[in-house]
Structures are given as structure tokens and as C-alpha cells.
């Protein structure tokens, strides 16, 4: 797996678009790991399939780091802030 994102983000609602050709895994505030074949997904992280979009809500006043990994190869993700809360 290749790290694709470690980005500090302020509170609000975000959409994460996976522009890659492989699944990416994102998680707020903690490291991400790619599950081995057939293993259960890690609690707190979200898989986003190739070409897919996931929603992330960052509560509170403190910035939180968004971590991400590509399942294989590399991928580009786009982080779009939809609204401040």
C-alpha cells in the first residue's frame, strides 16, 4: 500500500472523491491499514472504491488529520469541503 493522504482539515462536512483505479481507505485521526484478503475491515476507516465518493464529517473546533492508503499502486483523492458546521 502507498500513502496517498495525510491532510489536516478543519471542522465541517467533506466529500472524498477517489480518482484512482483501485480502492482507497480513509480514516480520521489514526493510521489506515489495508485489510488482507478476506479479513474484516478496520473499525473507523472507510473504503472508497475506484471512482467512488465518501462523506466525512469532522466535528468540533480542532483540525483533524485525514489519513489514506491505496489498496495497491497509487491513487489521487480529492477532498471537497461541502459545509462548515
Amino acid at each position: 500500500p502507498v500513502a496517498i493522504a495525510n491532510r489536516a482539515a478543519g471542522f465541517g462536512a467533506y466529500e472524498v472523491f477517489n480518482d484512482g483505479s483501485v480502492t482507497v481507505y480513509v480514516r480520521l485521526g489514526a493510521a489506515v491499514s489495508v485489510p488482507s484478503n478476506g479479513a474484516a475491515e478496520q473499525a473507523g476507516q472507510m473504503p472508497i472504491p475506484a471512482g467512488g465518493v465518501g462523506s466525512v464529517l469532522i466535528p468540533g473546533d480542532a483540525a483533524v488529520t485525514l489519513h489514506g492508503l491505496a489498496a495497491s499502486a497509487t491513487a489521487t483523492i480529492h477532498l471537497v469541503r461541502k459545509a462548515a458546521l
Side-chain angles (χ1 to χ4, degrees), residues 5-62:
N6 288 312
R7 166 99 177 147
F11 71 97
Y14 293 82
E15 286 188 349
V16 182
F17 172 63
N18 176 5
D19 198 12
S21 59
V22 297
T23 298
V24 297
Y25 296 84
V26 297
R27 185 176 190 173
L28 291 174
V32 178
S33 63
V34 175
S36 60
N37 230 358
E41 294 178 10
Q42 290 280 49
Q45 69 182 35
M46 175 177 37
I48 303 175
V53 176
S55 296
V56 176
L57 177 63
I58 300 176
D61 295 333

Side-chain angles (χ1 to χ4, degrees), residues 55-83:
S55 296
V56 176
L57 177 63
I58 300 176
D61 295 333
V64 174
T65 301
L66 176 68
H67 299 270
L69 283 175
S72 62
T74 60
T76 300
I77 60 171
H78 303 273
L79 184 62
V80 178
R81 189 173 187 183
K82 300 303 283 184

